[in-house]
Amino acid sequence: MTSRSDVAAIIDHTLLKPEATPADVEALVSEAKELGVLAICVSPSMLPVTEPGELVVATVVGFPSGQVKPEIKAAEAARAVSDGAAEVDMVINIGQAIAGDFDAVEADIRGVVDASGSALVKVIIESAALSDEQIVDACARAETAGAGFVKTSTGFHPAGGASAHAVALM
């Protein structure tokens, strides 16, 4: 049986609201330590995080739309890593995926992977906005580009979030 602490140890405690303040991030860190989660995820403007302790620090790039020039996304990732992020969650250009331009999607991911150095890159594909075939293609391209993980959604897209079906495809 999986314990509460086992589950907590694999969770990213996240604060990505645009109105978040430095005091909110401090509260997030405190709560994350109390809960025993693995990581915190904050907007890149909130880096570096003061006194994260043993918490893994994650951030987002191209968030939430993914509609950012690839070189800007890569620069944002490099800056985030230099500011203390150990993990980078990037949003793909969803429009490119819907249009079937998976070469561009892959190049975008590879640019962030390369710019992130040793930091773990997780790719957010916004699965609710994609067809089954597009989900599979986005995941394959993320793997080919060197990403460590693929995630279902930002939680901000109007099409919705994760579904069991999308997770099974992924």
Side-chain angles (χ1 to χ4, degrees):
M1 185 162 128
T2 304
S3 71
R4 179 188 180 281
S5 61
D6 291 338
V7 173
I10 60 170
I11 289 179
D12 292 4
H13 197 34
T14 303
L15 176 65
L16 298 171
K17 297 185 303 185
E19 66 273 15
T21 66
D24 294 332
V25 173
E26 287 179 26
L28 177 81
V29 169
S30 177
E31 186 176 57
K33 289 176 181 178
E34 183 179 310
L35 293 170
V37 300
L38 173 68
I40 56 163
C41 184
V42 298
S43 296
S45 64
M46 295 296 181
L47 298 173
V49 172
T50 305
E51 300 183 38
E54 298 295 314
L55 294 167
V56 173
V57 176
T59 196
V60 292
V61 299
F63 190 88
S65 72
Q67 293 286 345
V68 179
K69 295 276 190 189
E71 61 272 16
I72 301 302
K73 231 182 260 184
E76 188 176 24
R79 173 66 187 265
V81 171
S82 74
D83 284 346
E87 296 184 358
V88 175
D89 292 11
M90 70 163 292
V91 183
I92 65 166
N93 184 315
I94 302 151
Q96 289 175 335
I98 290 170
D101 190 355
F102 285 97
D103 289 342
V105 170
E106 182 179 331
D108 187 28
I109 297 167
R110 186 177 312 284
V112 171
V113 168
D114 290 348
S116 297
S118 62
L120 176 66
V121 174
K122 298 176 281 180
V123 176
I124 303 169
I125 65 167
E126 215 63 88
S127 60
L130 302 177
S131 70
D132 288 1
E133 183 179 337
Q134 292 163 339
I135 290 170
V136 171
D137 287 346
C139 291
R141 294 303 185 107
E143 182 178 20
T144 301
F149 291 91
V150 181
K151 299 174 78 170
T152 57
S153 67
T154 61
F156 285 78
H157 197 279
S163 71
H165 177 72
V167 172
L169 287 171
M170 294 167 73

